[in-house]
Amino acid sequence: MARINDNFLKLKAGYLFPEIGRRVSAYTDANPDAAARLIRCGIGDVTEPLPEACRKAMHDAVDEQGDSATFRGYGPEQGYDFLREAIVENQFAGLGISADEVFVSDGSKCDTGNILDIFGPGNKIAITDPVYPVYVDTNVMIGNTGEADENGAYDGLVYLPCTAENGFVPAIPDKKVDLIYLCYPNNPTGATATRDQLAAWVAYAKENKAIIFYDAAYEAFIQEDDVPHSIYEIEGAKECAIEFRSFSKNGGFTGTRCAYTVIPKELVGYTEDGSEQALHPLWSRRHSTKFNGASYPVQRGAAAVFSEEGKAQVSALIEGYMGNAKLLRDACTEIGLDVYGGINAPYVWVGCPEGVSSWDMFDRMLEQAQVVITPGAGFGAAGEGYFRISAFNSRENVEEVCRRIQENLG
Ligand SMILES: *Cc1c(COP(=O)(O)O)cnc(C)c1O
């Protein structure tokens, strides 16, 4: 008898994006004429093509793979040195991170989920609300939670509400937790955390021997000078934080797949008998056993993000998306909605009009404006009353979305 992992049955069936898909199909089936007008600002996926520098580097790498003199088989599981070194030089200069603390992978979604492999049972896990759903679901799958209640909140998780009042950066908990997920610039709220706020989390983590999982997938979208780019800018973070970064959103690698995780060698967890154990060798072992390295051409493409041309092309992409974010912010502000995010992140987080729920707002935007947004409640109970508009779109589509928001909701 093949037993299954029963934890999978605790996962909520009505997961956000399938439910959005269901509602969009129902609407377009019933209104085929309107279907052609549909503009999707829902799922956070890039829309612009891969930078030329990356494509060129990948073409060259494919040609190398076609020549027995330059062909490469299995590479180092942790990533090629050329990429790990380029990452440290370009993203962590002066922060004391070394190339062998960077683990290259095929995605941050995978890394933020897989990281739980090296942590034991019984950890108290703190998750912001609203949140990137991957953090929650991977904890459910591995058995770190009980069942979900009717609002989708899982027994056993410590939810940290992120609200307009706290600037969408959670207060330090008044109880002890062991693993903490933080994501800044944030998906879905577009918020950033200040240096002082991160310092308070680092101090808490050190005092409680906790580990912070810091997801900085949107680091490249930071525009303001005083916003920290890495948790390692905070004194002491190397002793309590793992940072996740991805080429998905800056380099447009969502379909090409490349990311990395930083595990400083100072970082320790604890064995059952309470003795210290460095995390770096555990993750290295996990990576070597369950992963065989990201593809060579893809790692060459990722390294090209840090070439002179690559940097200029990535900047142009970011500038385009952030220009979209500004237009969306302005359109929503002009019709009197409360607008957050969109300044250092490609997501605009908007308060629904008084008395309108986030799913009602979703239906209204779909039916009246033929624009697909993401209802805040889909990211957690504290997301109720908000919706997220993604700035990942063509300028033309964004301008049209702004017109429709003003015509239909103004
Ligand atoms: C898009 C995104 C990522 C990146 O995931 P990949 O698997 O690298 O594409 C990571 N974290 C958050 C919060 C994201 O929105």
Side-chain angles (χ1 to χ4, degrees):
M1 186 176 75
R3 270 294 308 277
I4 58 137
N5 177 350
D6 293 316
N7 295 314
F8 277 67
L9 306 181
K10 297 176 192 162
L11 292 166
K12 291 243 301 159
Y15 177 69
L16 177 60
F17 292 107
E19 175 61 17
I20 289 176
R22 196 191 62 71
R23 290 190 191 212
V24 171
S25 307
Y27 174 72
T28 52
D29 289 350
N31 303 278
D33 294 345
R37 275 171 50 84
L38 204 69
I39 300 179
R40 292 177 193 272
C41 300
I43 297 184
D45 193 358
V46 297
T47 53
E48 301 308 302
L50 215 52
E52 198 203 334
C54 302
R55 283 181 282 135
K56 162 102 178 41
M58 288 170 69
H59 279 297
D60 290 348
V62 169
D63 288 341
E64 283 181 59
Q65 293 296 73
D67 182 339
S68 58
T70 50
F71 171 78
R72 300 186 192 223
Y74 290 124
E77 290 94 346
Q78 290 77 8
Y80 282 102
D81 286 341
F82 66 79
L83 180 56
R84 301 172 91 187
E85 282 161 13
I87 288 167
V88 166
E89 241 166 71
N90 289 280
Q91 304 282 271
F92 299 99
L95 299 181
I97 300 294
S98 62
D100 63 354
E101 293 174 316
V102 175
F103 295 82
V104 176
S105 76
D106 60 353
S108 276
K109 184 195 243 188
C110 337
D111 287 349
T112 54
N114 291 332
I115 197 69
L116 293 173
D117 274 9
I118 64 168
F119 291 93
N123 283 314
K124 270 262 163 267
I125 292 149
I127 290 186
T128 60
D129 177 11
V131 75
Y132 179 54
V134 174
Y135 313 150
V136 176
D137 288 357
T138 52
N139 273 290
V140 176
M141 288 174 179
I142 207 166
N144 285 343
T145 75
E147 299 288 341
D149 67 16
E150 65 278 7
N151 298 319
Y154 285 92
D155 196 32
L157 293 181
V158 175
Y159 288 92
L160 308 170
C162 295
T163 62
E165 289 68 42
N166 63 22
F168 305 99
V169 178
I172 303 293
D174 51 11
K175 55 187 150 195
K176 222 170 132 49
V177 299
D178 306 298
L179 301 177
I180 302 146
Y181 289 81
L182 296 177
C183 172
Y184 292 99
N186 188 259
N187 176 12
T189 64
T192 52
T194 64
R195 218 168 286 277
D196 287 349
Q197 286 168 325
L198 290 183
W201 276 104
V202 166
Y204 172 88
K206 289 184 69 173
E207 190 171 316
N208 290 283
K209 299 184 169 172
I211 300 283
I212 296 171
F213 296 151
Y214 194 72
D215 185 342
Y218 296 95
E219 174 275 333
F221 294 84
I222 294 172
Q223 308 289 310
E224 294 179 316
D225 289 339
D226 54 350
V227 177
H229 286 242
S230 166
I231 187 116
Y232 302 122
E233 290 175 33
I234 310 302
E235 175 95 34
K238 279 199 285 177
E239 288 134 59
C240 65
I242 292 174
E243 183 160 312
F244 301 95
R245 295 266 190 116
S246 174
F247 293 95
S248 281
K249 309 292 162 48
N250 61 343
F253 272 54
T254 53
T256 304
R257 314 300 306 139
C258 198
Y260 53 97
T261 293
V262 181
I263 311 222
K265 294 198 188 107
E266 302 77 330
L267 209 54
V268 297
Y270 296 86
T271 61
E272 196 176 2
D273 66 10
S275 46
E276 283 188 3
Q277 166 63 49
L279 297 181
H280 185 279
L282 302 187
W283 184 246
S284 189
R285 183 61 198 266
R286 192 264 166 218
H287 224 60
S288 303
T289 301
K290 291 197 180 180
F291 185 60
N292 240 337
S295 131
Y296 172 66
V298 166
Q299 290 190 62
R300 281 291 181 198
V305 161
F306 303 120
S307 66
E308 284 316 306
E309 313 83 74
K311 281 180 194 166
Q313 291 159 12
V314 167
S315 292
L317 283 176
I318 304 257
E319 210 175 289
Y321 290 133
M322 293 313 291
N324 291 347
K326 180 173 187 332
L327 293 174
L328 292 165
R329 273 186 62 91
D330 290 349
C332 293
T333 305
E334 271 169 37
I335 59 167
L337 297 175
D338 291 329
V339 179
Y340 307 92
I343 291 173
N344 296 292
Y347 298 118
V348 181
W349 186 247
V350 189
C352 300
E354 192 69 35
V356 180
S357 78
S358 64
W359 278 109
D360 286 347
M361 195 64 193
F362 174 89
D363 291 334
R364 207 149 128 181
M365 291 284 275
L366 178 63
E367 289 161 20
Q368 295 179 10
Q370 290 78 49
V371 171
V372 181
I373 48 91
T374 316
F379 296 105
E384 181 54 272
Y386 294 93
F387 63 99
R388 188 191 77 175
I389 315 181
S390 165
F392 290 126
N393 224 319
S394 65
R395 181 57 55 85
E396 191 188 357
N397 274 349
V398 167
E399 285 172 347
E400 178 62 20
V401 167
C402 291
R403 262 193 299 277
R404 292 190 200 169
I405 286 175
Q406 297 194 315
E407 272 165 25
N408 293 282
L409 305 168

